[in-house]
Amino acid sequence: MAAGFFISKTVGVVAIVLAVGAVATIIALSVVYAQEKNKGTSDVGTNTTVSPTTTTPAPNNPWNRWRLPTTLKPESYKVFLQPFLTPDANNMYIFKGNSSVVFVCEEATNLILIHSNKLNYTMQGSFHATLQAEDGGAVPDISRTWLETTTQYLVVQLSSPLQQGRRYQLFSSFTGELADDLAGFYRSEYTDESGTRQVVATTQMQAADARKAFPCFDEPAMKANFTVTMIHPTNYEAISNMPVKNTRQQIIDGVTWSVTEFNTTPRMSTYLLAFIVSQFDHRDTNSSGTLIRIWGRPKAIEEGQGDYALNVTGPILKFFEGHYNTAYPLPKSDQVGLPDFNAGAMENWGLVTYRENSLLFDDNFSSISNKERVVTVIAHELAHQWFGNLVTLRWWNDLWLNEGFASYVEYLGADSAEPDWNIKDLMVLNELHDVMATDALASSHPLSFREEEINTPAQISEVFDSIAYSKGASVLRMLSSFLSEDIFKEGLQSYLHTFAYDNTVYTDLWVHLQEAVQKNNVTLPTSISNIMDRWTLQMGFPVVTVNTLDGTISQKHFLLDPTSSVDRPSDFNYVWIVPITWMTGNNQGSGNYWLTEVSDTNNSFTINSTWLLLNLNVTGYFRVNYNQENWDQLLNQLGTDQTVIPVINRAQIIDDAFNLARAKYINVTLALNTTLFLSREREYMPWQAALTNLKYFQQMFDRSELFGDMSRYIRNQVTPLFEYYKIITNNWQNRPSGLMAQYNEINAISTACSYGVTECQQLAANYLQQWQNTSINPVPPNLRSAIYCSMVATGGESAWDFIWQKFQNASVVSEADKLRTALSCSPHPWILNRYLQYTLDPTKIRRQDATSTINSIASNVVGQPLAWDFIRGNWRTLFSQYGGGSFSFSRLILSVTQRFSSEFELQELEQFKKDNEDIGFGSGTRALEQALERTRANINWVTENQAAVMQWFKDHSS
């Protein structure tokens, strides 16, 4: 998932259903549906269902444990579902269905536990389900069934044990709500061009919500074959993981329905199952025998918004077939853009689902970053079709390998589709530098958890964080770099071939990589397992310090707040085995070196006439500090000819220096000195590293007197970049060539406008006037995010109302996103407070966009205290509306607290934690601890550095 992060008649009738098969099942369903219709109510909440509330048994019973017992193993499911796409008499959207699962008894037991959540069952006689033996023999009687709501089980207790080795079938009939909660089998809505509201029935099963669609053994290791049949209105189309086997018409309650049966899936996990009923259109193509289809709202497809995705999917699939040396496992690849979707995308096998902005692209509205988003997310999800879907991790504690791997190879896949972009370089900024900010906290966590640490759905959701995705990606990139990509691929291919259609633990990959290492006689200081355990089983990363005067080199666990205490013990005492690449100035030398102890001496690092640079292209996951003399040499090189230093390392020098200063390894003025050369720098990566780090200074000081001098300094530095792009784009009319150049043009405009370069703000005002006068948007798509923000920031209430109206009428989701974010740039508290209230109204702001809108408002210095008050005042509403498992709570907490740097704000945050302990913080639990730690660190940092920073900006702002 891309961060993106992805339910009777008599027993006699049921026996006939099970014996006769699919047609009989539909007939039985029609009988049930007729009965329900005559009653004028749905199954939901009616007396056909036993109440799920039970007397809580002793906690040591199997049904009080979150993990399934290993006594039963599913083999196959037959699932029939009928979503009703208009509300029933109770104004609820519902779906009805029945399912049967064939399972093997691995160990004699008189208990069947199967996951079920928010499903209401049609009773089979006195019980929720019926049981029969696959061989037609006798089966134990059911003595009791009930729903255990806390642990989300349907419990079937038997009068005598099931026999080891025999196969059984469990059947049930049920109803569920087709809610708009973005989880399980849910409802998405959009308004078509005629103004009619259209309903889509779609799914999001990851991590633990297949059980909301039908009863199932809902754990990744419980792989099975699935045969899905969808019953839907005849003017709708159904799609699922596999191609359609047949479609026929069936009259139910006097209404003609379409019955679409799909081919049976290969062995797969429940969280990868998907089915959608919609009136979407699609574009298709064929790539090496694989049918590729891009689905979306009819107008979006008609306008060609799916064409870019269609064009890149074939090349990316072909790339991964070569990378894995394994053919794409399924006959087709459907990709669907959904109006309402919680994550970025979800890798359902053969039916990948996306937020619209991660799949659809329109050249007339979408920016280069939208295009990059589409190609990287597609590559991420397609990478999973093998790594994650064909071979699946046994349990969620190893999620980092699944998501970290896809987050690494998405750059390789995207590079194969867009070879001119140099997109692989962006991984350093987007993943490595970004996640180091979190991983340098004492409240961080290791990549891999112990299996017993992750049990509940909320705990599983919490694992989907930047450590899993971005640190996982960075560490795997480092591994591939020191092995070489060819050796890495050889081990990877062996791993996939060995475990196809099965489950693994992360150490299985190490075994296959080790075999490739030995086969190719690669020299390493120790085994892959010994090296990588230090990066996966202990949190954080080292700062490597080298002294060029005597060649000494050492490592230490890097903490942003060196006074914080690390409570989590490590078997390796926070020492890593570090692969180091290096080069010197004047081409005096370069090489590779392993730091295996806390400290060492390397004579190659004794240099006095030039500079030494460690961690070339930042392939290693660590920071680098030098003695003052070497820092001076590097700064001198940047000041005379920065191009001698590789562009990624120019970004690294800035990012390392600012973070080392925050952690008190070097003086804050040294870090600021690394930005002096930027007035001559035209490359994106160093500028982006500087702006990211200066943003911390902005957050700490934009409410204080020194921000005036800081703003003047940044204006002075960015004006030459602004002028450069003004010239090469012919006064902003042409688009620069290349991904990085376009990104830096966006930086030039965004920074110039937000820091008050008059010409930039006037450009935005002129664009606004033109747009209002002609109704034709004159702003180039790449510049829209920055220009829209400036329009709202300087244009007052009328500009806000104009942009709001454009947002409401936007037909392209990437355009709507830019407008929605820009609306948070207003400097007026009353407008921002009104906007915050809009986030609670899904008719104004879609539920999937509510938290990101609050985050945008919080990033505005005027909006931040308003957003904090809003979160505190509405925490219970937000929590109940989105559920504790929502992926967005962690980002929400971190966003609204990012400026906290006073004792008073720390007290408020501690009080917020205390006030809401009873309801909890769901997936934001760890983020709250990180926010507290960051706030304490910010308080200390501001106290110690404010005077020096104020003087530096005063000295350099003239």
Side-chain angles (χ1 to χ4, degrees), residues 133-271:
E134 277 292 275
D135 58 13
V139 293
D141 290 333
I142 296 174
S143 57
R144 185 181 169 219
T145 62
W146 73 92
L147 294 169
E148 192 64 45
T149 51
T150 304
T151 43
Q152 303 178 352
Y153 289 126
L154 164 60
V155 186
V156 180
Q157 215 161 30
L158 305 172
S159 58
S160 59
L162 299 170
Q163 292 174 21
Q164 186 176 355
R166 283 186 73 191
R167 296 161 70 243
Y168 299 89
Q169 186 182 83
L170 188 75
F171 173 87
S172 60
S173 180
F174 45 85
T175 306
E177 184 184 357
L178 197 68
D180 60 352
D181 58 358
L182 311 180
F185 196 19
Y186 73 93
R187 180 178 88 254
S188 175
E189 297 178 3
Y190 64 96
T191 303
D192 66 20
E193 52 271 35
S194 69
T196 307
R197 190 173 70 168
Q198 299 289 350
V199 175
V200 178
T202 184
T203 55
Q204 169 60 36
M205 306 306 198
Q206 192 181 42
D209 285 315
R211 63 192 70 173
K212 277 186 71 190
F214 64 100
C216 53
F217 297 92
D218 199 9
E219 292 186 359
M222 295 288 190
K223 288 193 171 186
N225 306 105
F226 295 83
T227 307
V228 172
T229 301
M230 301 302 294
I231 303 156
H232 55 92
T234 54
N235 57 336
Y236 283 69
E237 193 164 355
I239 51 177
S240 187
N241 304 81
M242 296 297 287
V244 173
K245 182 177 181 182
N246 60 66
T247 300
R248 58 193 180 279
Q249 307 291 296
Q250 177 82 31
I251 296 174
I252 302 174
D253 293 351
V255 177
T256 302
W257 293 75
S258 290
V259 180
T260 301
E261 182 185 354
F262 297 93
N263 287 330
T264 302
T265 69
R267 262 173 57 81
M268 60 182 280
S269 302
T270 49
Y271 79 87

Side-chain angles (χ1 to χ4, degrees), residues 31 86 252 334 502 588 652 746 840:
V31 172
T86 53
I252 302 174
D334 280 323
D502 213 337
Q588 288 185 11
Q652 172 215 16
I746 296 164
L840 296 177

Side-chain angles (χ1 to χ4, degrees), residues 82 256 519 527 657 779 806 958:
Q82 182 181 25
T256 302
K519 184 177 164 188
S527 70
V779 187
K806 293 296 178 187
S958 55

Side-chain angles (χ1 to χ4, degrees), residues 557-780:
H557 182 192
F558 181 79
L559 293 167
L560 268 181
D561 178 2
T563 63
S564 58
S565 60
V566 177
D567 298 327
R568 187 183 283 267
S570 164
D571 291 343
F572 309 104
N573 296 314
Y574 293 101
V575 176
W576 288 263
I577 298 175
V578 189
I580 295 172
T581 51
W582 58 275
M583 67 181 284
T584 61
N586 305 334
N587 296 315
Q588 288 185 11
S590 63
N592 300 301
Y593 163 77
W594 286 91
L595 179 62
T596 59
E597 304 293 338
V598 173
S599 60
D600 193 15
T601 301
N602 185 336
N603 293 330
S604 300
F605 296 162
T606 308
I607 295 163
N608 51 28
S609 59
T610 185
W611 46 262
L612 172 70
L613 182 69
L614 263 55
N615 200 12
L616 304 186
N617 294 322
V618 196
T619 54
Y621 185 70
F622 56 91
R623 295 203 180 279
V624 184
N625 189 19
Y626 304 98
N627 53 308
Q628 185 63 47
E629 292 81 358
N630 197 64
W631 276 116
D632 291 342
Q633 292 270 20
L634 288 168
L635 289 171
N636 185 50
Q637 183 67 68
L638 290 173
T640 51
D641 179 10
Q642 76 272 18
T643 61
V644 173
I645 295 173
V647 65
I648 297 179
N649 289 99
R650 303 206 291 276
Q652 172 215 16
I653 287 168
I654 294 169
D655 198 69
D656 279 355
F658 273 90
N659 282 277
L660 289 165
R662 280 180 68 182
K664 303 177 192 170
Y665 281 87
I666 61 173
N667 197 297
V668 70
T669 55
L670 193 163
L672 289 165
N673 286 339
T674 65
T675 68
L676 289 169
F677 79 100
L678 290 175
S679 57
R680 293 179 295 100
E681 179 64 84
R682 301 293 174 262
E683 291 286 346
Y684 167 68
M685 293 189 71
W687 261 105
Q688 185 59 31
L691 291 172
T692 300
N693 283 288
L694 287 168
K695 185 180 178 186
Y696 177 71
F697 283 65
Q698 178 194 350
Q699 288 167 351
M700 293 302 99
F701 298 126
D702 61 5
R703 298 174 289 177
S704 75
E705 60 176 311
L706 75 77
F707 194 62
D709 285 331
M710 178 178 168
S711 297
R712 273 186 288 280
Y713 172 72
I714 292 176
R715 280 200 297 274
N716 293 342
Q717 292 299 84
V718 81
T719 297
L721 189 69
F722 180 83
E723 295 292 341
Y724 167 78
Y725 276 105
K726 180 184 171 185
I727 292 165
I728 71 163
T729 61
N730 189 19
N731 213 10
W732 317 107
Q733 292 181 62
N734 304 328
R735 189 181 284 188
S737 61
L739 179 77
M740 303 291 186
Q742 290 181 55
Y743 275 173
N744 220 24
E745 179 195 22
I746 296 164
N747 272 343
I749 287 275
S750 175
T751 307
C753 278
S754 61
Y755 278 95
V757 172
T758 309
E759 189 179 347
C760 187
Q761 293 183 336
Q762 193 56 52
L763 176 70
N766 292 345
Y767 276 139
L768 177 61
Q769 195 172 7
Q770 249 179 287
W771 195 2
Q772 288 172 325
N773 291 344
T774 65
S775 295
I776 297 167
N777 188 342
V779 187

